[in-house]
Amino acid sequence: MSSPADVMPQDGIEDRIAFDPSWAATAMLHADTAKTAFGIRLRALERGRAELTMTVRDDMVNGFGITHGGMVFTLADTAFAYACNEGEHAVVASGVDITFTRASRAGDTLTAVAERRWVSGRNGLYDITVRDQRGETIAEFRGRSFATDRPLPPLPAH
């Protein structure tokens, strides 16, 4: 059992979390190039729960000037991935649903909080809420997970 990494500095906690072979999310953390490309930052991580933020850039809005739904989905899906990778084997999504509740725009900071609702055997259910900097709900996401029997990939060399 590990203690939560709940220190929440402005720039994230990625560098403060060491690789733990019994916790797949810590392996993801050190190899997640998609998270980096979108400017997604980890704010809190514990088994079954994750909090991530992303500032909406100009290149993340659609032709109507609102955040592209795929960007909101990416943030929520990334939070889901960190929350559900609680053990030593890779966990993947078996299905997800998202409901967009309001628009956000360039310059907004979105926060996704993912929390485990249920795990049994190799299956799990996680709820993720995405809010803007005013606390307004932007989207509700529900993810269904499946624990594989695949070992974690090797960590990249630094």
Side-chain angles (χ1 to χ4, degrees), residues 79-148:
F80 170 42
Y82 280 93
C84 74
N85 272 280
E86 303 182 53
E88 62 188 36
H89 292 97
V91 176
V92 297
S94 62
V96 301
D97 298 294
I98 190 166
T99 301
F100 300 103
T101 58
R102 72 181 308 117
S104 60
R105 292 174 171 65
D108 284 343
T109 299
L110 305 183
T111 300
V113 177
E115 296 179 308
R116 175 191 344 103
R117 295 296 177 224
W118 167 83
V119 172
S120 180
R122 295 171 76 160
N123 299 291
L125 187 64
Y126 295 78
D127 286 334
I128 298 85
T129 300
V130 179
R131 291 189 173 89
D132 66 14
Q133 69 275 7
R134 293 173 296 281
E136 300 283 346
T137 299
I138 301 300
E140 292 287 348
F141 177 111
R142 174 159 273 191
R144 294 171 299 283
S145 67
F146 177 76
T148 72

Side-chain angles (χ1 to χ4, degrees), residues 38-40 52-56 60 71-72 75 108-110:
F38 287 101
I40 297 172
L52 287 76
T53 64
M54 178 182 77
T55 299
V56 179
M60 295 176 165
M71 300 298 127
V72 177
L75 175 62
D108 284 343
T109 299
L110 305 183

Side-chain angles (χ1 to χ4, degrees), residues 19-25 27 47 84-91 147-153:
F19 170 67
D20 176 346
S22 74
W23 190 2
R47 293 178 197 257
C84 74
N85 272 280
E86 303 182 53
E88 62 188 36
H89 292 97
V91 176
T148 72
D149 56 4
R150 287 181 283 173
L152 300 178

Side-chain angles (χ1 to χ4, degrees), residues 36-58:
T36 303
F38 287 101
I40 297 172
R41 300 297 303 206
L42 184 68
R43 298 282 302 220
L45 179 65
E46 57 189 272
R47 293 178 197 257
R49 185 180 186 283
E51 182 176 332
L52 287 76
T53 64
M54 178 182 77
T55 299
V56 179
R57 302 182 314 234
D58 290 340

